[in-house]
Amino acid sequence: MAETGIAPSDPPAGIGVVDQLDQLDRTELAISFERVFTLVRRLTPQGDLSLTAVSTLRTLERQGPHRLSELAVREGVTQPAMTQLVSRLERDGLAQRCADPGDGRVVVVRIADAGRELLLARREARAQKLYELLSSLPPADRAAIVAALPALNRLADLTP
Amino acid sequence: MAETGIAPSDPPAGIGVVDQLDQLDRTELAISFERVFTLVRRLTPQGDLSLTAVSTLRTLERQGPHRLSELAVREGVTQPAMTQLVSRLERDGLAQRCADPGDGRVVVVRIADAGRELLLARREARAQKLYELLSSLPPADRAAIVAALPALNRLADLTP
DNA sequence: TATTGTTATACTCTATAACTATA
DNA sequence: TATAGTTATAGAGTATAACAATA
């Protein structure tokens, strides 16, 4: 457990970047990310889709068609839950079931045009609110966040 | 909504950081935050508490006791839903209902010790995984993220 | 009468267990 | 027999509407 007596926010400049991470209280890191999580959650119009439904659509959008069982593992739900989720997405025209020519047992799921449009609209709404919030931050804070975006994307690439 | 060819909000102030934000595609911003959201979600042990339950506990931890109706608004659920959520938290020993001496109608909710410990444990688990992920990033990326944490905290402070 | 909170009822989403079809 | 997916059933969590208690 890290010592909390030292202020972790502003490590002295000129020290190596590795030291910067080592000096940071891990819990501080977790709390900051936790707070960003909550921020995004609050900025997102809940609509009528569950968090898992949206996340699944985004997976299909970013990484193309997946087997139903792969989606279940990736989203951390059971296979029956994913079966029903895909059924709902299909019913609403947001995704489609396809057959796998090589294996008759397999169901391949892909995102439909309406699904892409829905993600786009949600993203647009959140982007606007986020931009407004950022605009009210001090310029130095804005710069720090913008500068960190590529790194955050690479961090997200490491997601298991 | 907005024309994408023109930066609408901030007239250039002649400072570099402002231009940095203006030049940034808002959607890129939203996507990065969206991905951080998913990352945090995946790193968090689901346990047996709902997202709203954890979020409510964190509100009580960070900002002290609240009225039940305040919590409902803050967490974006209805009053009946919050009634039941608080009942579950109380049943599990994570929070407590208290009376308001000044107004007999009011229920004040506060976090219990077990609730604090639960948040601590969750945070610890996520912090460890997050730290490991960060450690595998290039040093420059780590530095950029660490440098942005105070700004991200101030952004989170603006959460409605 | 307005405000604060609870109870009643219905719906969505999820998990576990049992089942079907293909390999 | 194992794998991929579905169906059956039960429980958690939420919303709307109706209710009780206090101001």
Side-chain angles (χ1 to χ4, degrees):
Chain A
M1 215 75 68
E3 185 57 51
T4 51
I6 304 167
S9 316
D10 300 300
I15 293 192
V17 289
V18 175
D19 292 339
Q20 243 179 341
L21 181 55
D22 286 344
Q23 285 175 7
L24 184 74
D25 186 343
R26 297 181 190 194
T27 304
E28 288 294 326
L29 190 71
I31 289 178
S32 293
F33 273 73
E34 198 171 78
R35 297 191 66 198
V36 170
F37 178 87
T38 299
L39 173 66
V40 172
R41 197 164 82 98
R42 295 242 167 88
L43 290 184
T44 302
Q46 277 306 85
D48 44 5
L49 281 184
S50 74
L51 226 56
T52 308
V54 176
S55 179
T56 301
L57 276 182
R58 282 205 283 123
T59 296
L60 295 174
E61 180 197 37
R62 281 188 69 81
Q63 307 185 357
H66 281 70
R67 288 177 171 206
L68 194 142
S69 51
E70 285 173 348
L71 286 178
V73 171
R74 188 174 179 79
E75 302 299 331
V77 299
T78 59
Q79 218 174 49
M82 187 51 72
T83 290
Q84 293 185 38
L85 171 53
V86 168
S87 297
R88 268 176 267 136
L89 292 176
E90 202 170 28
R91 177 201 63 192
D92 297 342
L94 303 174
Q96 288 154 358
R97 277 185 171 86
C98 312
D100 182 330
D103 189 336
R105 299 169 302 179
V106 168
V107 167
V108 175
V109 185
R110 69 182 198 80
I111 190 169
D113 288 344
R116 291 184 203 278
E117 286 159 17
L118 182 140
L119 287 182
L120 212 68
R122 285 172 60 93
R123 198 167 282 144
E124 196 58 39
R126 177 165 57 230
Q128 181 58 31
K129 294 183 199 157
L130 200 52
Y131 187 90
E132 285 164 10
L133 279 187
L134 266 183
S135 299
S136 70
L137 276 184
D141 280 357
R142 294 203 295 255
I145 292 173
V146 170
L149 291 183
L152 288 174
N153 282 330
R154 282 188 281 273
L155 179 67
D157 287 335
L158 301 177
T159 303
Chain B
M1 281 304 237
E3 271 301 321
T4 49
I6 305 167
S9 293
D10 283 7
I15 305 174
V17 289
V18 173
D19 293 339
Q20 238 179 339
L21 181 56
D22 285 343
Q23 285 173 10
L24 184 74
D25 185 348
R26 297 182 189 195
T27 304
E28 289 293 326
L29 191 71
I31 289 178
S32 293
F33 273 73
E34 197 171 78
R35 297 191 66 198
V36 170
F37 178 88
T38 299
L39 173 65
V40 172
R41 198 163 81 98
R42 295 240 167 91
L43 290 184
T44 302
Q46 277 305 84
D48 43 6
L49 282 185
S50 75
L51 225 56
T52 307
V54 176
S55 179
T56 301
L57 276 182
R58 282 206 283 124
T59 296
L60 295 174
E61 180 196 37
R62 282 187 68 81
Q63 306 183 359
H66 280 69
R67 288 178 172 208
L68 193 142
S69 51
E70 285 174 348
L71 286 177
V73 171
R74 188 171 180 82
E75 301 300 329
V77 300
T78 59
Q79 222 173 44
M82 188 51 72
T83 290
Q84 293 186 36
L85 171 53
V86 169
S87 297
R88 268 176 267 133
L89 292 176
E90 203 170 27
R91 178 200 62 192
D92 298 342
L94 304 174
Q96 288 154 359
R97 276 182 170 89
C98 312
D100 183 331
D103 189 335
R105 300 169 301 179
V106 169
V107 167
V108 175
V109 185
R110 69 180 199 80
I111 190 170
D113 288 343
R116 290 184 203 278
E117 286 160 18
L118 182 139
L119 289 181
L120 211 68
R122 287 172 58 94
R123 198 167 283 142
E124 197 58 40
R126 177 165 57 231
Q128 182 57 33
K129 295 185 199 155
L130 201 52
Y131 187 88
E132 285 164 12
L133 279 186
L134 265 185
S135 298
S136 70
L137 277 184
D141 280 357
R142 293 204 295 256
I145 291 173
V146 169
L149 290 184
L152 288 174
N153 281 330
R154 282 188 281 274
L155 179 67
D157 287 335
L158 301 176
T159 303

